[in-house]
């Protein structure tokens, strides 16, 4: 997760989650070696994301993400997290 100097809009957060979906999709179509390399990198980035976010157990972001969360399978856990401190 990145925090720009003065502003990080909610739409940018959603866009970042969309991009994580795209990376996950790309993994499924890669040959073994590049897939392993990308998986290793994503695991590191996912750990950073998890350190900066918490599970959205109260559904605080449901107002904006309800449809996306409903459509996301359980493997796409990033859709069910929120920043520890909302930057928007």
């Amino acid at each position: 997760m990145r925090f720009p100097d003065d502003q990080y809009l909610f739409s940018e957060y959603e866009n970042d989650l969309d991009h994580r979906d795209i990376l996950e999709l790309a993994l499924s179509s890669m040959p073994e070696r590049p897939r392993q390399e990308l998986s290793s990198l994503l695991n590191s980035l996912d750990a950073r994301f998890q350190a900066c976010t918490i599970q959205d157990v109260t559904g605080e972001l449901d107002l904006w993400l309800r449809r996306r969360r409903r459509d996301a399978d359980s493997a796409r856990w990033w859709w069910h997290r929120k920043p520890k401190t909302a930057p928007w």
Side-chain angles (χ1 to χ4, degrees):
M1 178 180 286
R2 62 178 174 68
F3 292 98
D5 295 334
D6 55 76
Q7 204 173 58
Y8 181 71
L9 303 175
F10 181 81
S11 60
E12 292 173 313
Y13 180 71
E14 185 177 18
N15 190 50
D16 290 343
L17 299 177
D18 280 332
H19 283 98
R20 181 58 181 85
D21 281 349
I22 292 167
L23 289 169
E24 193 67 25
L25 183 61
L27 277 176
S28 65
S29 63
M30 290 181 150
E32 182 67 23
R33 185 175 173 130
R35 183 172 57 244
Q36 288 176 345
E37 291 175 14
L38 181 57
S39 286
S40 178
L41 176 61
L42 283 177
N43 288 339
S44 174
L45 294 172
D46 285 345
R48 288 180 63 192
F49 179 77
Q50 287 178 328
C52 296
T53 61
I54 58 175
Q55 190 72 22
D56 187 9
V57 294
T58 63
E60 183 179 336
L61 300 184
D62 278 355
L63 179 63
W64 299 281
L65 295 177
R66 180 173 294 139
R67 181 185 59 79
R68 301 302 297 275
R69 286 178 168 181
R70 184 186 65 233
D71 295 344
D73 63 38
S74 60
R76 296 184 180 192
W77 52 266
W78 47 90
W79 282 101
H80 303 281
R81 298 188 66 83
K82 65 179 183 175
K84 289 180 180 177
T85 304
W88 47 78

